[in-house]
Structures are given as structure tokens and as C-alpha cells.
Amino acid sequence: SPEFLDIWDVNMLRRPDEVNTPQHSTHLYASDHLIVRRGQEFQLKVTFDRPYKPADDQFAVEFIIGGSPQFSKGTYIPVSVAKDRQSPWAGRVVDSTDNVVTVGITPAPDCIVGKWRTYVAVVTPYGIRRTRRDESRDLYVLFNAWATGDSVFLDDDDEREECVLNEVGVIYHGAYDDMSERPWNFGQFDYGVLDACLFIMDKAAMPITNRGDAIKVARKASAMLNSHDDDGVLVGNWSGDYTYGVAPTSWTGSTEILLNYSSSKTPVCYAQCWVYAAVFNTFLRCLGIPARVVTNFYSAHDNDGNLKTDVILDENGRIDKHRTKDSIWNYHCWNECYMSRPDLPQGFGGWQAVDATPQETSDGMYRCGPASVQAIKHGQICFPFDAPFVFAEVNSDVVFYSRNPRDGTLEPVKVNSSHVGRMVVTKVPGQDARRDITDQYKFPEGSPEERTVLEKAEEYGCHREKATPPEADVELDMPLMEVRVGDDFELKLEFNNTSDQARTVDVYVSGNVVYYTGVTSSEFLFKTPRVILDPKKAEKLVMEVRSQDYMRKLVEQANLHFIATGKVKETGQIITSMRVVTLHTPKLSVEVSGLAKVSEEMMVTVEFTNPFKFNLEDVYVRVEGPGVMPPKYKHYR
């Protein structure tokens, strides 16, 4: 009968030139569906068989997510435009012209994030008539860093632009005083990536009702990005043998990894810390949570939950490799995501550290965070999640112990409190430059605030070495060297005798090829010089390091680690110095030629000159261009 409304069409207004995508900053997503951010109005158009009469007609737009939708669980949301019917998502008639009604709908700022199904229902004398399921009307709802009511609201345009909308970035590695950059394509807007990110939560069997909570989403993802425990996204491999997968250093972006995971449904090989951090960054930005990759130089990986990285020396002052268990990573990358923390006391919202690299378990699974960076800075490490672990990564002391061969007791002989957490950096918003954010993690070294914080952390069970062995009156330093792979170079040890008596030092100098995790793969240099110092005099000791000594033993990430320990004969004091030499690899040059115009072909030329005296074998070249070219690779025997 003609009196009740009949629905002819539902238009989601999903085209980039229509009202929704530009307003919701989702114009960059490559998708066939409408994508909006919660806590902000979007519009759709319903065409009826006749003009809509508000006084007589009743209709609702319904949104459903998950397998068993329920109103009480927030998984079934009927939105009415009538003034007297309130729904969890506000609805209003924006315009009604002829047979077309434009409806404005505002998803609640804490609603579930994911893929919703859309229906329109009309009340008739014979019951409710509802549109059929139509996949083209599906709607993605994301977190909204632009909406004040959203827990991820970030009130800073530049930071928001960078941490939600930038699809490329730079990840820093190497050494704090000789830094290298690794460009990365996050690709959070690439076709299929959003679905892959939602698949990760499905694969984790994460309850749909938890998916509007940024804290839970970030914590779940920190577990799911590594394959330990739960068949997550990436398999870690620090062995140097990548026969059955892609070497961690070969990846150039996240897209390939995420699409590979969502289509094969099995973990992707292989990752190391920056790959975990980069793909985690894509996941967070894709869902709308502001995120950035940070790098901590000299990151302590503490095996026993104290604030000490223990280095054990034998009675002659030489490192005991079997008994030294803790490691210091030359650098370690993790993520920060921005969100309020209603579960913590005031003031601990903002940037939260999360880490997907499997180092230690948290509540039985390999995951870490979110831990409030502000709480870490102030030593308030009792708050969830995993703050003590992150606190130790940036605050550990390196303690050298001398082991008594008779009874095995350990005596602290030197404490270095400034080596670990030497510098924390991330990319500057809007430009390819780095920003030092060490001061967000800790107070200046040696300041009264720093002491207070360490005492505070101590109350919560982070113990440090109380003994303060007297400073030796001989100083030892190894100055910085910039070395290219394949170079011969000189290692310099600078000694300074500050006392007014002669000093004799027996020195052990060990040079090792190390993984960036600080784990030694092999020793290539070992020397035991004796140095005699006149009162108040300085001496330089120079050692030749030849490329043939280390080249055959190199592992990827090419780091050489020198450690010198010495025992002063007259006083029995121990002196130490450490230096990481990041070997610089030959540069690639990339040139683009041809017309830079839409639909015109261009050529990319990648050039590389082999600087070595030997042939390179099994060379893989990988290239990708976000938005212009999918990842391609070529193998040269």
C-alpha cells in the first residue's frame, strides 16, 4: 500500500569528492568502502519511494558489528532521526528534498573500531521492513585523534599529521654518535592493509567489545606482532641465516608483510626490532591511533629485573664471557602511541611505550606496554603495563664485578651509570630530521631529580648497585671512529694518569663482531698490552685493525664492539672503556627519469658500485615506491 515508506536506495557518500572522506581525513585510504572516524558526524542519503513526512513516517539506520549483535553490548546500534528517540549514536535529518533524505550520524567517541554493516529499517503497519545485506554499504569506523571525546585525541596539528597521516618515515639505528637512517614505507593507506590490521585482532580472538579501547588494542597488538605464543605476524631471527625467508635488513615497508600475513594466515619470516616497530606503527596509524617509532641507543636487556647490567671480570680484569648474561643492545626500537590513561592517576596519559619485539614475557605472553612515558620519567613504575622493563632499558647501570676465583663471590669494581639509554630519538614531525626525546624518558644525568627518580623506582623493586667503588686515578677513553666496511683502521686507546705517581696498567683489549643486540658472534682481536704512565701524563696506544681480521666474520648490521678493561698494578683499581663501531655500508643511488605525470611511465635506476676487492654473491635488490610502484625485487647471483 502507498501509505508506508519504501526504500529505493542507500548511498554511503563514500567517494573522495563527497562530504565524508575529506572531513574525516580518510581521503588517503585505498578502499571501496566508506571510512570514518568516531566521535564525528558523517552523512548518508536514503532515497524513498515518496517524500519523507516526519510526523507520520518512522525509519532508522542500523549498524551491526560481529557475529551476535546485541544492543546491550554496543554491537547493534539503531540510529533514529526522531527527536524523542535517543540512540547511542546521534542522528539527525540534514536535508530532505523530494524523495531523498540526507541523514547525519555521529558514532559515539568510544564506540567499537572495525567494520560495521549498515541497514535501513522502516516501521509499517505490518511490522518492520529492513534493507537486505549489501556489502557495498559496509562502513569502517576508526579511532579519531581529531575528536576531543576520543581517548586518542591529540591536540597538535603537526604531531597528528605526522603520527596518523604520514605513510613514510625514518627509523634511526647505528650508534648515538654515528647514526644511520633507514627509510620505511608504513603504507597504512594501501589497499588491503586496513583489513589486514582488523584480521590481526580476529586472529587474536580479541573480543569485539574490547576493540574500542585503545589501551587494549595496543596491548593486544604488541603480543600479536610477534609469532611467539599466538601465531602472530612476524618471526624474529637474529641468527644470520635467513634461507627460509626474507632477511630483516631487506624489507623496505610494511605493506608486503601485512598483506602476506592476512592472505597466508601464517607468520612472515623474518624480523628484528625495527621491523616489529615499523609494522606495529603501520597497524596503529592505520586504525587511527597516533604512533611513532623511537630508537633507544645502548638499550639494556636485563635478564633478572634489576637495574643492573652485570659484566663479570676474572681476577686479572678480563671479561668472563660465560658468566656475563645481560646484554646491551647497540640500539633498540619500540613504539610510542598517544592516548589517555583513565586506568592510571592523573597526568600519565599522553605518549605510551609499546614494544612488539619478543624480549621478555608479560603476564605470560611476549608483549610489552602500553607503559606511560611520563610515569617512567618519574620512576612511578608500579603502574601497568611493563613500566619496570622499559625503565631498565633506559636507566640501567653497567656494573663491572670482579670474581674471586676461590669462593666465586662478586665484588663491584666499577659502575657506569651514563652508558645505557644514552639517547632516545624519533623523527621530527613534517621533516626528515631527527629529534632527541631523551628528556621525555629521564632527567639529566647526575641531576637531583634523577636521584629522586631512581630512589622512587627502588621503592617499587627496581634495585641498583649501592656500592660506589672509588674512581680510578687513571682515565681510559676510546675516541669515535667512522669506518666503512672493508677498511683497515686504527683503534686508539687514550690513557690519562691524573695521580702524581707513576702507574702501570695491564690492559685487555677485545674486539668482537656483534649483532646489534649486543650478542657476540666472534672475537677477531685480542691484545694484552702493558702501559706505563708517568705522573700527570697522558699516553696513546694505537692498534692496527686489518679488514681481513674482521671481514670474514661479519654479520648483517655490521657492528664491531671493542671493550678494554685494565687493572692498575699499584692500586688494584679497574678501568674500562667500550666503543661500538658501526661499519658504514656502501651507498645505493636511486634516480628517477621520464615524465612525472599521471598515467605516464617513469623509470627508476638503482646504481651500486662494489667497493671491495672481491665479488659479491647472492645480492638482493628490493625497491618500492608508496603510491607509485608496488614492492619489486631482483636477485643477482
Side-chain angles (χ1 to χ4, degrees):
S1 80
E3 50 273 16
F4 64 83
L5 281 178
D6 199 8
I7 304 149
W8 280 3
D9 182 52
V10 181
N11 177 355
M12 300 299 288
L13 303 179
R14 62 171 190 250
R15 288 208 319 273
D17 55 347
E18 291 174 312
V19 63
N20 293 321
T21 29
Q23 283 189 0
H24 285 256
S25 309
T26 55
H27 50 291
L28 295 168
Y29 287 87
S31 170
D32 305 326
H33 294 95
L34 176 59
I35 300 173
V36 300
R37 299 185 190 274
R38 62 189 195 174
Q40 182 179 338
E41 186 177 77
F42 69 92
Q43 297 181 8
L44 51 81
K45 289 191 165 162
V46 185
T47 306
F48 295 111
D49 60 334
R50 61 168 174 75
Y52 160 68
K53 305 196 194 77
D56 313 332
D57 300 327
Q58 275 188 349
F59 77 95
V61 186
E62 300 178 316
F63 298 94
I64 282 172
I65 193 167
S68 48
Q70 282 172 276
F71 182 76
S72 62
K73 294 223 164 119
T75 51
Y76 163 61
I77 310 269
V79 181
S80 160
V81 293
K83 294 271 184 292
D84 54 346
R85 303 173 95 98
Q86 276 314 297
S87 80
W89 297 8
R92 68 185 184 106
V93 171
V94 176
D95 178 75
S96 180
T97 309
D98 299 333
N99 301 0
V100 181
V101 179
T102 305
V103 184
I105 292 167
T106 308
D110 59 354
C111 77
I112 293 164
V113 165
K115 189 177 186 179
W116 292 77
R117 308 187 286 286
T118 309
Y119 299 88
V120 179
V122 174
V123 178
T124 77
Y126 318 106
I128 291 176
R129 293 187 53 144
R130 189 174 272 115
T131 51
R132 283 198 194 83
R133 164 98 172 98
D134 179 340
E135 207 175 298
S136 72
R137 296 174 190 159
D138 287 353
L139 161 85
Y140 292 91
V141 179
L142 309 178
F143 291 98
N144 192 349
W146 286 262
T148 45
D150 197 310
S151 63
V152 305
F153 173 61
L154 172 55
D155 200 6
D156 176 331
D157 273 338
D158 296 341
E159 202 76 75
R160 198 162 46 194
E161 194 76 18
E162 176 73 37
C163 295
V164 182
L165 299 180
N166 196 352
E167 12 181 6
V168 292
V170 180
I171 298 171
Y172 297 97
H173 63 112
Y176 79 98
D177 47 7
D178 183 14
M179 227 175 268
S180 309
E181 301 184 351
R182 186 185 291 284
W184 193 271
N185 172 28
F186 297 118
Q188 67 267 38
F189 305 122
D190 287 351
Y191 197 87
V193 168
L194 176 53
D195 282 331
C197 294
L198 297 177
F199 167 71
I200 289 170
M201 294 194 281
D202 293 341
K203 179 98 167 147
M206 181 180 187
I208 289 272
T209 47
N210 288 351
R211 297 187 193 184
D213 182 334
I215 299 167
K216 289 185 172 140
V217 168
R219 182 151 174 80
K220 179 58 80 179
S222 94
M224 274 310 288
L225 267 269
N226 64 68
S227 62
H228 283 274
D229 319 312
D230 45 24
D231 269 348
V233 180
L234 283 156
V235 179
N237 183 341
W238 281 267
S239 73
D241 176 4
Y242 309 117
T243 316
Y244 298 107
V246 174
T249 43
S250 289
W251 300 111
T252 47
S254 310
T255 308
E256 203 181 339
I257 292 169
L258 287 163
L259 296 185
N260 183 330
Y261 181 68
S262 65
S263 61
S264 73
K265 308 196 176 2
T266 55
V268 178
C269 301
Y270 291 105
Q272 290 173 7
C273 73
W274 73 92
V275 185
Y276 286 113
V279 179
F280 197 174
N281 214 48
T282 300
F283 173 92
L284 293 162
R285 285 186 186 180
C286 183
L287 294 180
I289 300 174
R292 59 192 188 190
V293 175
V294 304
T295 303
N296 176 32
F297 288 98
Y298 294 138
S299 192
H301 178 176
D302 182 38
N303 279 315
D304 43 15
N306 58 19
L307 276 188
K308 300 193 307 251
T309 298
D310 303 332
V311 180
I312 319 288
L313 308 174
D314 65 17
E315 68 270 33
N316 302 317
R318 181 179 170 176
I319 289 193
D320 183 332
K321 295 211 168 107
H322 299 297
R323 293 195 168 85
T324 299
K325 291 275 180 284
D326 292 343
S327 64
I328 298 169
W329 296 38
N330 295 340
Y331 67 89
H332 180 45
C333 303
W334 61 75
N335 303 78
E336 288 178 0
C337 49
Y338 196 90
M339 58 189 64
S340 63
R341 290 295 301 265
D343 57 327
L344 303 186
Q346 282 287 196
F348 292 136
W351 291 109
Q352 311 290 318
V354 283
D355 189 350
T357 300
Q359 296 187 82
E360 296 291 328
T361 57
S362 165
D363 300 336
M365 289 178 84
Y366 281 97
R367 57 183 165 193
C368 176
S372 162
V373 174
Q374 183 70 355
I376 288 162
K377 177 170 181 172
H378 290 278
Q380 303 278 358
I381 53 177
C382 53
F383 298 122
F385 294 91
D386 309 310
F389 185 76
V390 183
F391 186 84
E393 286 182 302
V394 293
N395 284 305
S396 241
D397 290 339
V398 183
V399 184
F400 293 85
Y401 292 92
S402 185
R403 185 172 182 275
N404 183 325
R406 286 186 300 284
D407 57 6
T409 51
L410 298 176
E411 185 202 344
V413 288
K414 178 171 175 185
V415 177
N416 182 339
S417 59
S418 63
H419 182 71
V420 165
R422 184 65 63 89
M423 193 185 277
V424 185
V425 299
T426 188
K427 179 181 168 308
V428 175
Q431 41 181 313
D432 280 342
R434 65 168 185 257
R435 168 164 56 155
D436 182 341
I437 55 167
T438 318
D439 64 343
Q440 306 204 5
Y441 280 86
K442 51 194 198 178
F443 288 100
E445 205 66 55
S447 63
E449 294 90 346
E450 186 207 25
R451 266 197 301 283
T452 314
V453 164
L454 292 166
E455 283 162 17
K456 178 64 95 195
E458 186 107 46
E459 290 171 26
Y460 296 123
C462 257
H463 297 297
R464 44 207 298 267
E465 182 49 61
K466 293 288 192 302
T468 45
E471 280 293 312
D473 52 23
V474 176
E475 296 163 347
L476 168 57
D477 186 39
M478 278 191 256
L480 173 68
M481 300 157 279
E482 290 215 3
V483 182
R484 289 184 318 223
V485 175
D487 283 357
D488 299 341
F489 62 94
E490 291 182 335
L491 175 68
K492 295 188 185 66
L493 275 68
E494 296 174 352
F495 295 87
N496 184 19
N497 179 4
T498 61
S499 78
D500 40 24
Q501 290 157 339
R503 291 286 183 250
T504 310
V505 187
D506 287 313
V507 188
Y508 291 90
V509 184
S510 167
N512 299 280
V513 172
V514 291
Y515 293 101
Y516 78 94
T517 56
V519 176
T520 302
S521 88
S522 56
E523 186 170 63
F524 64 86
L525 172 97
F526 184 69
K527 293 213 161 77
T528 56
R530 168 171 276 196
V531 181
I532 294 168
L533 300 163
D534 293 335
K536 300 284 185 197
K537 276 283 190 309
E539 285 288 337
K540 247 190 199 137
L541 188 63
V542 176
M543 298 183 185
E544 288 295 323
V545 179
R546 295 186 323 231
S547 65
Q548 64 251 43
D549 298 337
Y550 67 80
M551 279 303 284
R552 282 194 307 281
K553 300 177 170 156
L554 277 189
V555 289
E556 86 287 1
Q557 295 276 315
N559 287 312
L560 305 180
H561 188 245
F562 294 96
I563 182 155
T565 58
K567 192 168 190 176
V568 182
K569 201 172 165 201
E570 291 78 2
T571 61
Q573 290 172 328
I574 298 282
I575 59 175
T576 68
S577 183
M578 293 185 272
R579 165 62 63 195
V580 170
V581 176
T582 310
L583 295 175
H584 291 254
T585 46
K587 291 276 177 276
L588 291 173
S589 87
V590 180
E591 296 209 344
V592 179
S593 55
L595 272 179
K597 277 172 72 177
V598 174
S599 305
E600 291 285 339
E601 188 169 82
M602 293 159 73
M603 299 300 286
V604 176
T605 313
V606 180
E607 265 191 24
F608 169 76
T609 308
N610 178 1
F612 304 119
K613 305 181 182 70
F614 50 85
N615 292 337
L616 289 172
E617 293 168 17
D618 264 346
V619 177
Y620 285 90
V621 179
R622 296 172 79 88
V623 193
E624 73 175 301
V628 288
M629 169 180 139
K632 295 186 174 173
Y633 60 97
K634 198 162 177 179
H635 175 218
Y636 298 89
R637 293 209 187 286

